[in-house]
Structure formats: C-alpha cells, structure tokens
Amino acid sequence: MVKLKFYYDFLSQPCRTLYIFMKKTKIPFEPKPVNLRQGEHLTKEFESLNPFKKVPFIDDKGTVLIESVSILRYLCRTYNVADHWYPKDIQKQALVDQYLEWQHNNTRAHCTEYFRRKALWPLKTGQAANTEKVTILENRMIENLNLLENIWLKDKPFLCGDKISVSDLVGACEVEQPRIAGFDPLVDRPNLTKWIARVQAEFSPFYEEAHKVIEQTADEYKRYVNKLSEKN
C-alpha cells in the first residue's frame, strides 16, 4: 500500500499539528523528517520536491500540498476521520474556518515572530537579540494571547464551540512555541490553561511526543543565554 509522504520538522508548529493529527486519526503516512536548522530544506534535492523550500508538505500518491491548513482540510475530506474535526455542517465548518483564517495574522504571526527574534536567530547566528525589537514583539504577542483568553475562550471549552476541532490543535501548537524563548503563555490566563490541558489530553501521547522539541530547544536557549551572561 502506497502511503502519504509527510515532510516535517517538529521545530515547526504546523508540522507538529499535522503529525499529531494524523497519528490521532490513524491516517497512515510515511514520515520524512527534514532538519531545518541544518538547512536540509535548502538542498537541490528538496527543492525538486517542493520549490518553496519549506515544511510541512505532503505527497499523497501524487497530490502534493504545501500549506498546512489546506493539508488539514484535505485530510479531513479525504480520509475517514470523525466529523467534529472539520464538520460537514456549513455553519459549524464556517466557525472552524473562521479561526483558521484569523490565526494566520494573529496567533501564528505573533508567536512565531517572537520566538524567531528572541531565540531562533540568536541560536543560529550567535548574536544577541535586539532587546527593543523583542519587547515590541512580546507586547504584540501578549495582546494576541489575551484575545484567546478573553474572546475566543471566554465562554466555551474549545475555540469553535463545545467540541474539539482541528482549529484547537492548530492554535495549541502555536501557543506552545514561545516557551522556547522562556515565555510562559499560560501565566494569569486560566481559560488558556484549561484549554491547553484539554487539547493535550485529547491528543496524548502524540502531543507530548511532538512537543519534546520545545523543552529541548528551550534548554539549548537557556544554555546560550547563560554563556552570553558569563561573557558579559
């Protein structure tokens, strides 16, 4: 049986989302790990597979998709998964789509940019982050986390209602990312804290497996910060 090929790196939030989802829903796939930090996505071989030189992407028996949200929708429509993940009911589906579209320029944008500026680029280049820039990015991220706390999760257990959907996994994987840079997104946010716990419980043990990279990279960043302070 030819399996879907899945190219990923757990350092990427959308990659974790897709891996966890396929594991949870028992969608068979052939894992194709790609080491972003070693530049494996920049090789000619990889470019021949995906000219955008990014992960995640899938090759499902010749159907190649390169955007994580499109991949999620495709998986839900193509494979036998429970309806609550991406409901067929138009109104319920629209609520899930609403978050998936909103998050691109909100949860994803702000959590990602903060992580990149504060932790990823310093680890990659060995140069300290611009403190002023990081502060600006952190404030924007905090505003966005507060929107999750006070609006999206104000009066319901999941982002789009009473049942978990793909939107919750997408959101949770993004919210986890700032931990690498030493920022705890759950402090003083009880709704967010309970929600993350619900999502984690629903996807255990795959959620923990995919998020091991968070602790590993956070420890690496701490060692980097300590070395930097010793030099100064």
Side-chain angles (χ1 to χ4, degrees):
M1 178 180 176
V2 179
K3 293 181 180 179
L4 175 155
K5 295 178 182 178
F6 174 50
Y7 296 80
Y8 69 98
D9 183 329
F10 283 152
L11 192 61
S12 158
Q13 306 94 301
C15 287
R16 297 198 300 269
T17 297
L18 292 172
Y19 178 89
I20 296 166
F21 183 70
M22 288 192 289
K23 282 288 193 177
K24 172 67 178 180
T25 56
K26 298 181 180 179
I27 295 174
F29 67 92
E30 180 182 348
K32 296 284 189 178
V34 179
N35 193 314
L36 296 178
R37 292 179 65 184
Q38 291 185 8
E40 290 181 1
H41 59 303
L42 302 176
T43 64
K44 289 293 184 182
E45 180 183 2
F46 189 91
E47 185 179 4
S48 69
L49 299 172
N50 181 1
F52 289 94
K53 305 178 186 178
K54 292 183 178 181
V55 291
F57 80 92
I58 65 166
D59 181 346
D60 189 15
K61 299 177 283 295
T63 297
V64 178
L65 295 173
I66 60 171
E67 285 292 335
S68 59
V69 170
S70 294
I71 294 171
L72 274 175
R73 290 171 176 147
Y74 171 82
L75 294 175
C76 290
R77 291 164 176 159
T78 306
Y79 290 85
N80 185 26
V81 304
D83 185 69
H84 65 85
W85 294 119
Y86 190 65
K88 293 181 178 64
D89 179 271
I90 295 299
Q91 291 181 332
K92 292 179 180 178
Q93 186 181 112
L95 293 176
V96 176
D97 283 336
Q98 180 173 243
Y99 179 80
L100 293 177
E101 301 301 337
W102 179 85
Q103 63 95 28
H104 285 297
N105 291 320
N106 290 279
T107 318
R108 173 152 181 74
H110 296 303
C111 291
T112 297
E113 193 61 17
Y114 173 79
F115 148 74
R116 283 177 177 170
R117 291 281 184 165
K118 186 175 180 183
L120 183 60
W121 293 120
L123 284 174
K124 186 175 181 179
T125 65
Q127 298 179 356
N130 182 307
T131 304
E132 184 177 344
K133 180 65 174 178
V134 167
T135 299
I136 293 172
L137 294 173
E138 183 172 312
N139 289 335
R140 290 175 182 169
M141 181 180 66
I142 288 172
E143 290 176 5
N144 193 258
L145 291 170
N146 289 340
L147 292 177
L148 290 177
E149 172 72 17
N150 299 318
I151 297 179
W152 286 98
L153 296 168
K154 179 182 178 181
D155 52 7
K156 53 187 183 295
F158 297 106
L159 290 171
C160 301
D162 294 331
K163 293 185 178 181
I164 195 168
S165 71
V166 293
S167 61
D168 294 288
L169 183 56
V170 169
C173 288
E174 296 293 345
V175 168
E176 295 281 7
Q177 199 76 352
R179 293 182 184 277
I180 293 175
F183 182 93
D184 188 346
L186 306 185
V187 172
D188 296 326
R189 296 185 180 89
N191 292 334
L192 203 64
T193 300
K194 293 173 185 176
W195 168 70
I196 283 285
R198 292 186 195 105
V199 175
Q200 182 175 352
E202 182 71 35
F203 288 101
S204 184
F206 312 117
Y207 191 93
E208 294 88 342
E209 176 190 354
H211 282 91
K212 285 180 182 178
V213 69
I214 297 291
E215 293 181 11
Q216 294 168 350
T217 315
D219 287 342
E220 183 183 353
Y221 177 66
K222 287 178 185 176
R223 292 194 296 272
Y224 163 80
V225 172
N226 289 337
K227 287 182 180 179
L228 199 64
S229 62
E230 288 173 2
K231 288 181 181 180
N232 296 333

